[in-house]
Amino acid sequence: MTPSTPPPPTPPPTPTPPPIDLTAARRGLVALSHQLGDPAADLVVLGEGNTSAALGDGTFLVKASGTRLGGVTGDDLVRLDHAAVLALIDDPELDEHDQPGLAARLRAAAHPDPGTESTADTDTAFGSGSGSASGAPPKLASIETMLHALALELPGTRVVGHTHPTAVNALLCSDRAADLVAGSLFPDQVVVCGAHALLVPYAEPGLPLARAVRRGLAGHLDRHGSPPRLIHLANHGVVALGENAAQVLAVTTMAVKAARVLSGALAVGAPRYLAPDTVARLDNRADEQHRRRVLAGSGAGAEEAG
């Protein structure tokens, strides 16, 4: 008598992801925005700069266009569908300078967000807005939304801060911009900003810049096998990538110090970079990795924005 075949084991239930605490996420990103927008830090002026955070459900928050980082509120953050925004960058039929087409596609990427009037309606930003149905002006996704979508796609990146520090731009707007990524000048630069930063040639803000960053990231990953923590944008500013808000703030702060040190070195002679084998050891030493984790876990908004 042939024994009956036992039934296959019942697969374990798929764990239900925890609900998104959208209020906490907004609070964390607001806290980071205020730190980066502090006038004393000299990272941005007026409406410069933007921030973003992945929500873990295929959507992300990004600062609304034109709002001051130092004065951002939770209602100044726009929620967007990540895949829909990435599709803009990859669409060969979307011309980089087709502003009406881009506006329509960004509108379609808007994610319903109960409790706020924020939308990704970019008509006003592109010259044809009429305001929201409630009569209040619509919240417009930052012109750099696509840049943020690219950065948030990278492993280990959940929060992004884009600023225009004067000390860094002094070099990015010169013929010595490449010196910013030619090597590391001191140990803490490696610990905080990583062994290899990326420099992207100038491209106009918006879709042209996003596509330039995509090309730069592809080359960086081919050369180094891992994404950068710091991206320098020629004639523009910096992008700091982190697991949380505290890491983004640390990378931005250290990028400014490194630029100041480099400017000083260039003023008295030539920069003397650390040897590549020294940089590699610093990047992988257990004690330095511990310091990196500690730095990434401190600071306002670290637990909430990522």
Side-chain angles (χ1 to χ4, degrees):
M1 183 174 182
T2 305
S4 60
T5 303
T10 303
T14 302
T16 302
I20 297 170
D21 189 341
L22 190 57
T23 299
R26 287 183 181 277
R27 185 167 58 242
L29 197 55
V30 165
L32 173 64
S33 298
H34 289 178
Q35 290 172 304
L36 295 177
D38 182 353
D42 194 24
L43 302 175
V44 296
V45 299
L46 302 176
E48 288 183 338
N50 31 73
T51 51
S52 66
L55 296 176
D57 67 341
T59 69
F60 67 100
L61 296 172
V62 68
K63 192 206 82 165
S65 178
T67 55
R68 293 175 181 255
L69 270 181
V72 162
T73 70
D75 289 336
D76 294 322
L77 302 175
V78 180
R79 189 176 181 184
L80 296 148
D81 181 88
H82 199 166
V85 176
L86 288 173
L88 299 180
I89 307 168
D90 295 325
D91 187 350
E93 296 184 2
L94 182 59
D95 186 273
E96 292 183 342
H97 305 290
D98 178 9
Q99 306 299 356
L102 179 58
R105 294 284 293 275
L106 279 174
R107 282 198 305 276
H111 187 279
D113 197 355
T116 175
E117 294 179 355
S118 297
T119 72
D121 187 342
T122 56
D123 278 354
T124 300
F126 293 96
S128 59
S130 57
S132 67
S134 66
K139 299 296 182 181
L140 314 173
S142 167
I143 194 172
E144 304 299 7
T145 293
M146 291 158 288
L147 167 63
H148 285 269
L150 273 177
L152 291 170
E153 187 184 29
L154 297 171
T157 299
R158 297 176 61 192
V159 183
V160 175
H162 168 45
T163 56
H164 303 173
T166 302
V168 186
N169 273 10
L171 290 163
L172 287 172
C173 297
S174 77
D175 61 359
R176 305 306 297 263
D179 291 359
L180 285 164
V181 298
S184 299
L185 293 164
F186 50 91
D188 276 0
Q189 181 182 4
V190 181
V191 173
V192 176
C193 297
H196 306 287
L198 170 64
L199 175 63
V200 176
Y202 179 77
E204 289 185 23
L207 186 54
L209 178 59
R211 287 175 171 170
V213 169
R214 180 182 57 183
R215 292 190 294 270
L217 285 171
H220 186 97
L221 290 168
D222 285 344
R223 290 189 300 273
H224 305 296
S226 60
R229 294 192 195 98
L230 175 64
I231 302 174
H232 290 287
L233 307 175
N235 297 88
H236 189 146
V238 301
V239 183
L241 297 78
E243 297 177 1
N244 54 37
Q247 192 170 35
V248 167
L249 181 62
V251 170
T252 303
T253 302
M254 193 60 71
V256 172
K257 177 178 179 178
R260 289 175 174 156
V261 171
L262 178 58
S263 291
L266 290 169
V268 298
R272 180 172 291 174
Y273 298 105
L274 298 174
D277 58 338
T278 298
V279 172
R281 282 196 302 273
L282 288 168
D283 196 33
N284 293 287
R285 271 174 44 169
D287 60 332
E288 299 294 18
Q289 290 179 353
H290 172 73
R291 290 182 62 224
R292 184 177 291 158
R293 289 191 295 270
V294 171
L295 287 169
S298 62
E303 296 80 12
E304 295 165 341

